[in-house]
């Protein structure tokens, strides 16, 4: 697994500056397009071209089950994971609709659904039949962790082969907000009560029960706190590990990453802890409705593009943000300069 700590390319500072200079020449007050200017300048530096594009978008959705679902931490039964994978494969989920609207490549990877599925479009890279119950045992073995990380790296490799301009990782796994919450608490020194949310729709009593389960997970695996790989192995899910591996490898291959919501940001935090040079390659798509998400946003110092109260997962929030990034690129490339439009610039 030597690839995990391989450094990522450094953004091109000269092209960032060239894009910045172009923004200053466009027919608008400097900074008038706000974050749209920032993201397009970052994309220019990452793609090493003054006029970046996001035509080819690659979406990988990783699915797996969690043993901690036995602790009744979700409003939905564990069987929903496999049922939703089938829904992805038949084109009926939100991410299918969004991917089609974007003209994006969409793939579904089984990294450990409890009930294995067979479908010609399904990529099977299973690390196990779901993780162990992390409230009682480490969620996965070292070998399983490596398999799940590699599944993510392989997805990024496919995106690179397809010359993707942007990588999006999605996830599906009943009880994965519990795993992500435990990871947030361990890595950021947070208290479960202030981080734990409703997930798939728990009521107040359900959330309080989930808090106690997260605390049990943290107590059991206290020695793993602050070690990203050990925290991931002991508390995480196969799909979170796959996302972590995908983000690491995409950045190493020079592919910008648009991070989805609460679960995906846990993987982004892990990826940055494992290899800090991943950070410039990450864009945060939206603010999740999960209360703990704000803590990771602060830790990563990334600004979400959208705040729509979304908490679906699947990569859906990231997919919704793609048109915004595309518009930023279109404005940057298509607007006239003051000289071209014969408009007087700022005095």
């Amino acid at each position: 697994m030597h690839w995990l700590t391989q450094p990522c390319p450094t953004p091109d500072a000269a092209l960032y500056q060239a894009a910045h200079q172009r923004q200053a020449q466009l027919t608008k007050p400097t900074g008038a397009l706000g974050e749209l200017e920032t993201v397009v300048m970052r994309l220019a530096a990452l793609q090493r071209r003054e006029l970046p594009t996001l035509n080819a978008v690659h979406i990988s959705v990783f699915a797996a089950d969690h043993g901690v679902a036995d602790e009744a931490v979700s409003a939905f039964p564990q069987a929903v994971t496999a049922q939703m994978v089938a829904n992805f494969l038949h084109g009926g989920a939100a991410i299918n609709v969004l991917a089609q609207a974007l003209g994006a490549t969409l793939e579904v990877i089984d990294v450990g659904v409890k009930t294995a599925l067979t479908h010609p479009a399904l990529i099977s890279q299973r690390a196990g039949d779901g993780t162990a119950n992390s409230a009682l045992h480490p969620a996965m073995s070292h070998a399983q962790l490596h398999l799940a990380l590699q599944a993510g790296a392989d997805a990024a490799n496919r995106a690179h082969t397809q010359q993707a301009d942007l990588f999006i990782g999605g996830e599906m796994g009943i009880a994965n907000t519990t795993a992500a919450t435990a990871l947030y608490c361990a890595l950021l020194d947070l208290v479960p009560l202030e981080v734990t949310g409703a997930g798939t729709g728990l009521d107040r009593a359900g959330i309080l029960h989930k808090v106690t389960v997260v605390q049990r997970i943290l107590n059991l695996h206290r020695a793993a706190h602050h070690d990203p790989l050990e925290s991931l192995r002991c508390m995480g899910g196969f799909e979170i590990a796959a996302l972590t591996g995908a983000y690491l490898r995409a950045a190493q291959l020079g592919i910008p990453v648009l991070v989805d919501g609460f679960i995906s940001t846990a993987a982004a935090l892990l990826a940055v802890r494992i290899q800090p040079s991943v950070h410039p390659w990450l864009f945060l798509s939206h603010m999740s409705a999960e209360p703990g998400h704000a803590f990771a946003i602060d830790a990563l110092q990334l600004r979400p593009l959208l705040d729509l109260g979304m908490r679906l997962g699947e990569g859906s929030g990231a997919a919704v943000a793609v048109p915004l990034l595309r518009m930023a690129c279109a404005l940057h490339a298509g607007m006239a300069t003051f000289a071209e439009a014969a408009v007087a610039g700022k005095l």
Side-chain angles (χ1 to χ4, degrees):
M1 300 296 288
H2 63 280
W3 63 269
L4 280 174
T5 54
Q6 178 181 321
C8 306
T10 302
D12 191 312
L15 280 166
Y16 183 95
Q17 187 59 33
H20 184 273
Q21 290 173 354
R22 176 170 174 79
Q23 282 289 321
Q25 296 165 8
L26 299 180
T27 48
K28 60 176 178 60
T30 301
L33 290 174
E35 192 68 12
L36 297 180
E37 296 184 19
T38 303
V39 296
V40 81
M41 291 187 292
R42 287 186 60 201
L43 284 169
L46 296 174
Q47 294 187 355
R48 286 173 160 72
R49 51 193 179 200
E50 188 178 339
L51 302 178
T53 60
L54 292 176
N55 297 322
V57 176
H58 183 100
I59 305 173
S60 298
V61 179
F62 303 97
D65 274 310
H66 295 252
V68 75
D70 292 346
E71 302 292 334
V73 290
S74 173
F76 285 81
Q78 192 172 57
V80 168
T81 303
Q83 292 165 359
M84 280 302 300
V85 171
N87 192 28
F88 296 147
L89 295 168
H90 289 93
I95 194 59
N96 299 101
V97 175
L98 293 166
Q100 184 175 16
L102 295 172
T105 298
L106 174 63
E107 61 179 20
V108 183
I109 304 99
D110 175 5
V111 285
V113 178
K114 187 172 183 179
T115 304
L117 300 174
T118 302
H119 189 280
L122 179 65
I123 298 171
S124 182
Q125 287 187 265
R126 295 171 57 78
D129 298 330
T131 62
N133 183 347
S134 58
L136 300 174
H137 313 280
M140 61 191 92
S141 68
H142 291 283
Q144 288 176 317
L145 173 62
H146 291 170
L147 286 170
L149 287 164
Q150 188 62 52
D154 289 346
N157 288 334
R158 289 190 295 272
H160 185 255
T161 298
Q162 296 163 9
Q163 299 182 313
D165 297 317
L166 185 71
F167 180 87
I168 292 174
E171 41 65 36
M172 178 62 215
I174 292 299
N176 63 8
T177 59
T178 298
T181 300
L183 288 167
Y184 278 47
C185 291
L187 296 173
L188 300 176
D189 283 325
L190 299 173
V191 176
L193 186 61
E194 62 184 352
V195 183
T196 306
T200 51
L202 293 171
D203 59 16
R204 180 62 180 167
I207 293 172
L208 291 175
H209 169 68
K210 187 174 171 182
V211 167
T212 66
V213 174
V214 171
Q215 189 62 62
R216 285 171 53 201
I217 295 169
L218 294 170
N219 293 343
L220 180 63
H221 306 297
R222 191 165 298 280
H225 294 200
H226 309 298
D227 180 329
L229 284 174
E230 266 302 279
S231 292
L232 178 54
R233 186 182 75 83
C234 292
M235 307 177 214
F238 295 142
E239 81 282 33
I240 298 175
L243 282 167
T244 303
Y247 294 159
L248 281 162
R249 190 63 185 147
Q252 291 165 355
L253 293 169
I255 307 173
V257 173
L258 185 57
V259 179
D260 191 34
F262 185 71
I263 311 300
S264 298
T265 306
L269 181 63
L270 287 160
V272 170
R273 291 292 179 90
I274 294 166
Q275 173 49 266
S277 63
V278 168
H279 188 271
W281 294 88
L282 303 178
F283 294 82
L284 191 58
S285 62
H286 73 111
M287 167 73 82
S288 171
E290 284 288 305
H293 197 213
F295 294 99
I297 291 170
D298 289 344
L300 289 168
Q301 296 186 320
L302 292 172
R303 183 173 178 178
L305 295 169
L306 301 170
D307 185 357
L308 300 174
M310 296 180 70
R311 54 182 178 87
L312 177 59
E314 305 175 9
S316 57
V320 167
V322 170
L324 195 64
L325 293 179
R326 285 178 169 171
M327 286 295 182
C329 293
L331 288 164
H332 184 69
M335 284 182 69
T337 65
F338 285 106
E340 290 167 344
V343 174
K346 183 177 180 181
L347 296 177

